[in-house]
Amino acid sequence: MIQLRFLFRLVTTHMRMHPGRAVVTTLGIIASTCAVVWVVSGYDALVSQFDENSGKYLGMYDALVVSHGGGPPGSPTATIDPLMIETLKHDAGVLEVNPVSNTRVTATRVKAVPNDDQPTSSLTLLVGDRPPVNGAPPLGPTMVSTPADQAPYDLVDGQWLSKQTDVASAVVSEKVARDMQLSVDDQFRITTFGNQVVLNVIGIVEQAPEAPMLSERRRGRNQNQSQRRNAQIDQRDARELTQSESPIRERTRQQNDADSGADTITNRIKLPSGLTQGIATQAIYVRPEMAAKINGYPTQPHVLQIAFRDTVTSHQFHQAWRQRLAAERPPLKFIDYSVVRSGMESSSKVSGQQSQAWAATGMASLAGIFIIFSTLSMGVSERAREFAMLRAIALTRTQIAGLIAIESFVLGLVGWFGGLLAGWIMVMVGSRLLPSLFASGAILGWGCILLTGITVLIGSAGAAILPAWRAMRIQPLDAMAVPPTAIRSQPWMILAFLGLMLTASTPIVVFLLPISDQWRTWSYSFLAYPMLLVGMILLAPGIVVACESAFAPLLTRALRLDSRMMKTQLSNNLWRSVGATLALSVGLGLYASTQTWGHSMLVPFTPGQWLPDALVAFHPVGLATEDEPLVNQVDGVDANEVMPLAIEQAKFDWGEAGQPKRLRMGGDNGIVCGLDPRLAFGGADPFLAVKFVAGDRESVIKSIETGDSCVVAEDFAMAAGLHLGDSVTLIPPAAENERVQYRIAGIVSLPGWQWVTKFSGVRRHFTRTGTILFASRDSVRTRFHLPRTEFFWLNFANKDSLGGTLADHQALGDSQISEIEAGLQAIAERHAGETFAAEGVGEVKAYRPFARMTATQNVKEAIRMRADGMIWGMSYLPLITLMVMSLAVANTVIASVRSRTWEFGVMRSIGVTRSQLVRLVITETVLIGIAACALSMTFGLIAGWCGVGMAQFGGWFAGPPSFRIPWLQLSFGFTLALTLCLAAGLWPAIKTGRAEPLALLQAGRTMQ
């Protein structure tokens, strides 16, 4: 204890004598701790609200009963048998049963005044007032049909739904009101495949901000095992009930089977469904009669809200009903407060916040390690004689190492406490002034304190290892030795060679090694990528020396300095310069790789020049043959460039071989697009200007005209391992006992087909799809039983005659698109009142058919807006790390100034001006920034390129890898890095420039 106290006094005394570096290091730890607090406080806020939000989710009810039937994303939610509802209502322990149904809709606010425009978003461009589609995610509100007499949740404003069923009114959740900027008495437009109705807001209710995860996909292992055991018990207990179904249910099933058999060749579409299991939290509440008018069919209940009598507990009810709930087909699931509370912990938002918290902790730990390491490492170099004298006087090697460790932990602890205080102030003030940065709320909880403590502990411990080892190697006789001032060239050259070898191994593993996808993924994750990181570290000394040789003469000439002053400044203190370069490169390199990977991955998903101006879908009933020519007559449409299509989404029949391994997301189905091949691909100016990767245009046209050939996308062919002459077999959704086979006559490049099909309505049955293929229109109509034409590709008229500026052109284009869509809508409404068949629903009445026009320019703009937001969202933490790491540069400059104090005194004595001295220090900091930019760009381009290459082995994109360097975004990061370096060097430079020559000489003498 006495030894520790003595060592602690030595450390604190040294810090008091040289406070500058300690202050800079402490500020770095404070900044990194604040970054963790900023991210983790949102997670702590979510955790603290689990109990409250679980109660809000159930509202005035005690439990829910939902269908337990699983399926792929977007599968229709199974309805609950009316007989079961009636049986539950007559249970002695049940006070109330409220059957509700969820329907996916599109909702937009009706403008109060003509110029009351809402901000344009990517979703607004592609969806707007149009009905929802299968391909687009359910981002909007959910319409909930409820017969409840009283509000199931606390009313924030207004009143609950009246008993009058013909009133066009609705009650919305607080989140919907906030997102759509709605108040009581406002109006909004609600749209489905069957109708479009304007509703009045009469009330706003308070609901949980997020829905729990009620499915088992994201549950913990123990929870899944428990639920499996319960399910096995339920199934065992329910066997007797399943063997003797009620006569009503048996008659209903027979009727459904009869209807299914009668409609075998009836083409049915699948209405878009959401991912909600349970009660929607973004809800629009309406009466069942109004829901039937909006949907075009009577709604059936998906969820039962149950209130118990005071004498019955949730556990008692579950024990009494678990057999009968399990006997239903599909089984019904009982959800009470405990299940909701558990689901809150597993929700996607909580998982995302948790991932961000750990990412922030990792980045902050790296920042802490580098900042403290730079301080300790430079301190060991400067205090080598001091440590040697301490060794000669009394201290052992262990005590010298203890000095380094104590200094590291003191710096870390002081920075931690300061960071918690600063973080608490940031959370309290920021959540009020900038609530958008704290969308989930913000509190300084124990999780935040724990993770920041882990950050400081890891940073302090990791940073002290190498400096302590170096300090222990100092001998007592080193007090009389003169430290070397230069370094030989061989070491960094050898390191650079090894670094190049390790760096080159990464693209070799990704692009050249003939190994399986699983081994390639494993090798990249655990071998190639770590080798790339090590290679960059080994390359750092060579890049520093190269940047000094290339840019030092240019900078000294620009700043009017003698080039000999900076000729070897970085290389003479190579390891110090390398440490600062690596510190900056942690954040800057991740930023560069994120931007490069993100923008490169955009290339295959951005619509190319092959696409026509727009794809029009007449939903849901299509057009009669006599109405098809009307599309050519719409104002603004080029009458000579309209192509009717026959489109169906069908599953593949892969036979005994099974689905190709690289086709994972939506690879079980594809979109068959029937067209006129000569109009599409023929002539000097084809309608679809696609690039043929395999096959030639003329032979492809002739093959497709025969009716048994097709053209497939390049990415699909690569993923499935298909070539010219191979065949693909599809299953018509209207006749699943039939098979349709096409021979591949051509392979084409179709960049952007994913997003065009995502929002245009061509995904008629499934949320995800694996490809789009082209065949003869007559063949697709006949073999897939498509009675009417629903889709058209078209080009706009006079699109090249729009004059004015770019802004004027965009405004005129938007106006033209609206006018064209209005003309197409008039054609669609000619079929108002007709019915169509929908999967799981039956006959649906289309009160207002829709003409959905997906303009290619809108798709491109929406992709740009969405991608920019996502890529910059991933870049925030690297940029914050870069800002924190800039303090390591300040440490380096302080050390450089201190080590050259005597030299600066001599230079000032022989006539060097204060301004020249300041410019000399600034030149050194800028050179470090340039070296960091060069190293980061090297890492970013290689890591981004290899990341794009690995995408084809991940199962979600298997096309040829693309590579794009985002110069504008990279220049922003590099400019920020150089600016931070300049700012980090200003204070040491100005302080040195203001010192008198005699003071510099005296200070330099004391350090020798």
Side-chain angles (χ1 to χ4, degrees):
M1 183 62 67
I2 296 176
Q3 290 183 356
L4 287 177
R5 190 180 305 156
F6 172 70
L7 296 178
F8 182 77
R9 288 182 61 188
L10 286 177
V11 170
T12 54
T13 301
H14 180 266
M15 288 183 177
R16 286 198 303 269
M17 294 178 61
H18 306 285
R21 191 178 301 167
V23 170
V24 171
T25 304
T26 303
L27 288 176
I29 303 299
I30 289 174
S32 61
T33 303
C34 282
V36 177
V37 169
W38 173 44
V39 177
V40 180
S41 60
Y43 175 73
D44 281 349
L46 282 178
V47 172
S48 67
Q49 297 166 6
F50 283 164
D51 292 335
E52 179 184 359
N53 289 339
S54 298
K56 286 183 178 180
Y57 183 76
L58 292 173
M60 63 174 288
Y61 296 96
D62 300 301
L64 306 176
V65 172
V66 301
S67 173
H68 195 48
S75 299
T77 304
T79 59
I80 300 177
D81 192 341
L83 179 62
M84 171 59 68
I85 299 174
E86 291 300 320
T87 307
L88 281 169
K89 286 182 178 180
H90 291 89
D91 187 277
V94 174
L95 180 63
E96 181 185 350
V97 176
N98 181 41
V100 301
S101 65
N102 298 323
T103 306
R104 186 175 165 190
V105 298
T106 299
T108 54
R109 181 167 61 92
V110 175
K111 298 179 182 179
V113 293
N115 295 326
D116 184 20
D117 294 327
Q118 299 184 50
T120 301
S121 65
S122 58
L123 194 63
T124 304
L125 282 174
L126 297 177
V127 179
D129 282 337
R130 307 174 186 93
V133 290
N134 286 317
L139 300 176
T142 300
M143 184 177 69
V144 180
S145 166
T146 174
D149 293 332
Q150 297 180 352
Y153 306 98
D154 293 337
L155 277 166
V156 177
D157 192 11
Q159 60 185 358
W160 182 242
L161 296 170
S162 66
K163 295 183 179 180
Q164 296 180 355
T165 59
D166 58 344
V167 179
S169 59
V171 174
V172 300
S173 67
E174 196 173 15
K175 182 173 176 57
V176 171
R178 182 174 60 253
D179 293 344
M180 295 180 61
Q181 301 177 10
L182 292 173
S183 302
V184 173
D185 296 330
D186 285 347
Q187 291 184 326
F188 66 94
R189 188 178 295 106
I190 190 167
T191 307
T192 66
F193 261 66
N195 207 348
Q196 186 177 74
V197 178
V198 175
L199 300 177
N200 296 313
V201 178
I202 63 171
I204 300 174
V205 294
E206 182 184 17
Q207 287 189 251
E210 298 294 332
M213 177 64 68
L214 299 179
S215 62
E216 284 122 11
R217 290 194 301 270
R218 302 177 69 95
R219 295 294 181 83
R221 180 179 178 182
N222 294 334
Q223 292 174 337
N224 285 337
Q225 290 177 348
S226 175
Q227 290 180 355
R228 281 195 293 268
R229 287 195 297 268
N230 292 336
Q232 292 172 358
I233 295 173
D234 294 344
Q235 292 172 2
R236 182 191 62 199
D237 294 341
R239 286 172 184 169
E240 295 182 359
L241 293 175
T242 56
Q243 292 173 358
S244 57
E245 292 181 313
S246 67
I248 296 178
R249 188 177 302 155
E250 182 64 26
R251 286 196 300 269
T252 302
R253 181 172 298 175
Q254 292 175 357
Q255 182 64 40
N256 290 340
D257 293 341
D259 293 342
S260 176
D263 296 336
T264 302
I265 309 299
T266 299
N267 194 284
R268 297 170 178 264
I269 65 173
K270 186 177 81 67
L271 297 178
S273 58
L275 305 178
T276 302
Q277 185 181 24
I279 298 297
T281 55
Q282 288 184 270
I284 299 173
Y285 294 96
V286 298
R287 289 302 184 194
E289 294 78 9
M290 180 55 62
K293 179 180 178 181
I294 295 172
N295 286 325
Y297 61 91
T299 58
Q300 300 297 322
H302 303 127
V303 181
L304 303 181
Q305 295 176 303
I306 302 177
F308 303 136
R309 298 189 184 276
D310 294 338
T311 57
V312 177
T313 65
S314 174
H315 178 72
Q316 292 171 339
F317 177 86
H318 189 203
Q319 291 299 320
W321 276 87
R322 67 187 310 172
Q323 298 179 18
R324 280 176 282 185
L325 295 179
E328 291 294 304
R329 291 296 175 266
L332 299 180
K333 182 178 181 180
F334 178 78
I335 297 172
D336 59 3
Y337 178 87
S338 62
V339 178
V340 173
R341 177 64 170 75
S342 177
M344 287 290 180
E345 299 176 2
S346 307
S347 67
S348 57
K349 184 170 184 178
V350 172
S351 300
Q353 288 274 11
Q354 193 175 42
S355 300
Q356 291 182 11
W358 284 112
T361 301
M363 299 291 286
S365 297
L366 282 176
I369 288 174
F370 271 100
I371 291 173
I372 299 178
F373 172 78
S374 64
T375 299
L376 299 180
S377 181
M378 287 181 268
V380 170
S381 300
E382 295 176 4
R383 300 168 62 190
R385 287 189 175 182
E386 178 184 338
F387 288 145
M389 293 184 67
L390 289 173
R391 284 289 319 281
I393 296 172
L395 297 188
T396 64
R397 294 178 185 269
T398 305
Q399 290 172 327
I400 292 294
L403 279 175
I404 304 300
I406 291 174
E407 183 177 0
S408 178
F409 281 100
V410 167
L411 291 172
L413 289 174
V414 173
W416 180 38
F417 287 120
L420 288 178
L421 177 60
W424 178 77
I425 296 174
M426 176 188 67
V427 167
M428 294 298 103
V429 177
S431 59
R432 290 170 173 78
L433 298 181
L434 298 172
S436 60
L437 296 179
F438 303 89
S440 303
I443 63 170
L444 191 62
W446 287 108
C448 192
I449 296 175
L450 179 62
L451 284 182
T452 53
I454 291 175
T455 298
V456 172
L457 180 64
I458 294 176
S460 301
I465 295 174
L466 185 57
W469 177 74
R470 288 181 56 204
M472 290 173 65
R473 296 182 60 194
I474 296 176
Q475 302 294 331
L477 291 178
D478 290 342
M480 303 300 296
V482 178
T485 58
I487 188 169
R488 295 174 301 170
S489 61
Q490 288 83 359
W492 69 260
M493 295 178 63
I494 296 173
L495 293 177
F497 177 76
L498 294 175
L500 285 174
M501 294 297 101
L502 292 175
T503 301
S505 65
T506 305
I508 290 174
V509 169
V510 173
F511 297 104
L512 298 180
L513 283 185
I515 55 179
S516 65
D517 292 355
Q518 291 80 3
W519 273 107
R520 194 182 307 275
T521 302
W522 184 91
S523 300
Y524 177 77
S525 302
F526 298 101
L527 293 178
Y529 196 80
M531 289 168 66
L532 175 62
L533 296 176
V534 175
M536 289 295 106
I537 294 174
L538 297 179
L539 276 175
I543 289 179
V544 169
V545 174
C547 289
E548 181 184 51
S549 301
F551 294 100
L554 299 177
L555 287 174
T556 53
R557 190 177 302 115
L559 296 177
R560 297 182 179 181
L561 294 172
D562 191 331
S563 60
R564 291 171 294 181
M565 294 181 178
M566 284 299 301
K567 188 173 183 180
T568 59
Q569 179 57 35
L570 296 186
S571 55
N572 281 346
N573 302 277
L574 185 60
W575 304 121
R576 183 172 65 202
S577 304
V578 168
T581 301
L582 288 174
L584 280 177
S585 299
V586 172
L588 188 59
L590 287 175
Y591 170 80
S593 63
T594 300
Q595 292 289 334
T596 302
W597 176 84
H599 285 87
S600 296
M601 286 303 302
L602 273 181
V603 174
F605 292 96
T606 302
Q609 298 299 322
W610 66 274
L611 274 168
D613 290 339
L615 174 61
V616 180
F618 289 92
H619 283 155
V621 294
L623 295 184
T625 304
E626 60 271 18
D627 289 339
E628 292 182 17
L630 297 177
V631 178
N632 302 62
Q633 302 172 16
V634 174
D635 290 339
V637 173
D638 190 335
N640 298 319
E641 297 202 16
V642 176
M643 183 165 61
L645 307 171
I647 293 181
E648 180 60 291
Q649 187 180 20
K651 284 191 173 184
F652 290 108
D653 183 355
W654 296 106
E656 297 181 357
Q659 181 176 317
K661 294 182 179 180
R662 290 188 182 179
L663 283 176
R664 298 178 190 173
M665 299 180 67
D668 62 336
N669 71 86
I671 296 171
V672 187
C673 180
L675 42 70
D676 180 348
R678 195 156 297 278
L679 175 62
F681 306 122
D685 186 18
F687 201 91
L688 301 181
V690 296
K691 176 185 177 182
F692 278 82
V693 178
D696 62 274
R697 292 181 184 274
E698 193 57 37
S699 62
V700 165
I701 292 172
K702 293 179 180 179
S703 298
I704 293 179
E705 286 178 337
T706 63
D708 60 354
S709 297
C710 70
V711 171
V712 299
E714 181 183 16
D715 58 311
F716 173 72
M718 292 179 62
L722 298 174
H723 304 87
L724 292 183
D726 293 340
S727 297
V728 291
T729 304
L730 299 111
I731 306 173
E736 296 186 353
N737 59 327
E738 299 179 6
R739 296 295 181 269
V740 176
Q741 188 176 77
Y742 287 111
R743 183 182 61 84
I744 298 176
I747 300 174
V748 294
S749 175
L750 300 176
W753 70 263
Q754 301 90 344
W755 274 74
V756 172
T757 62
K758 192 178 185 71
F759 291 94
S760 58
V762 300
R763 301 186 186 185
R764 306 177 75 244
H765 304 283
F766 311 105
T767 302
R768 294 170 177 168
T769 190
T771 188
I772 183 172
L773 55 89
F774 301 120
S776 167
R777 182 187 176 216
D778 293 336
S779 170
V780 173
R781 291 187 65 175
T782 302
R783 303 174 77 176
F784 287 91
H785 310 286
L786 301 175
R788 283 187 171 184
T789 300
E790 291 186 38
F791 300 93
F792 292 81
W793 253 327
L794 55 84
N795 284 322
F796 300 145
N798 302 322
K799 58 186 177 182
D800 297 327
S801 63
L802 298 176
T805 64
L806 180 62
D808 294 335
H809 180 86
Q810 182 65 40
L812 286 171
D814 292 342
S815 175
Q816 183 189 42
I817 288 174
S818 299
E819 292 176 1
I820 294 174
E821 194 162 14
L824 296 170
Q825 179 63 35
I827 300 175
E829 292 180 3
R830 292 166 62 93
H831 298 273
E834 295 185 7
T835 61
F836 65 97
E839 297 177 12
V841 174
E843 293 295 321
V844 180
K845 189 172 184 178
Y847 291 97
R848 185 180 186 272
F850 289 86
R852 174 191 296 274
M853 188 173 75
T854 305
T856 302
Q857 69 181 56
N858 285 347
V859 175
K860 292 181 179 179
E861 179 63 17
I863 292 176
R864 185 195 63 78
M865 295 171 64
R866 180 65 174 162
D868 285 349
M870 294 184 64
I871 295 173
W872 279 109
M874 293 187 293
S875 301
Y876 286 151
L877 276 180
L879 288 178
I880 292 173
T881 304
L882 171 64
M883 295 177 187
V884 175
M885 289 296 195
S886 64
L887 295 173
V889 178
N891 266 340
T892 302
V893 177
I894 291 174
S896 175
V897 169
R898 289 187 60 191
S899 64
R900 300 173 67 190
T901 304
W902 172 264
E903 178 184 341
F904 288 157
V906 173
M907 293 170 66
R908 287 281 287 115
S909 301
I910 62 176
V912 175
T913 64
R914 299 178 189 270
S915 175
Q916 288 177 319
L917 210 58
V918 170
R919 283 177 279 158
L920 187 63
V921 175
I922 290 177
T923 301
E924 182 177 354
T925 64
V926 173
L927 280 176
I928 292 174
I930 292 175
C933 291
L935 182 64
S936 299
M937 185 169 183
T938 303
F939 170 79
L941 296 184
I942 296 176
W945 178 41
C946 293
V948 172
M950 287 301 299
Q952 61 184 315
F953 309 112
W956 56 280
F957 178 75
S962 56
F963 186 59
R964 174 182 291 174
I965 302 177
W967 293 111
L968 180 62
Q969 289 76 13
L970 292 182
S971 62
F972 170 79
F974 296 153
T975 302
L976 177 61
L978 293 175
T979 302
L980 292 172
C981 287
L982 185 62
L986 277 180
W987 175 65
I990 294 174
K991 182 181 178 182
T992 303
R994 293 180 60 187
E996 297 295 334
L998 182 58
L1000 291 172
L1001 291 172
Q1002 290 175 340
R1005 177 63 67 185
T1006 59
M1007 296 180 57
Q1008 293 183 354

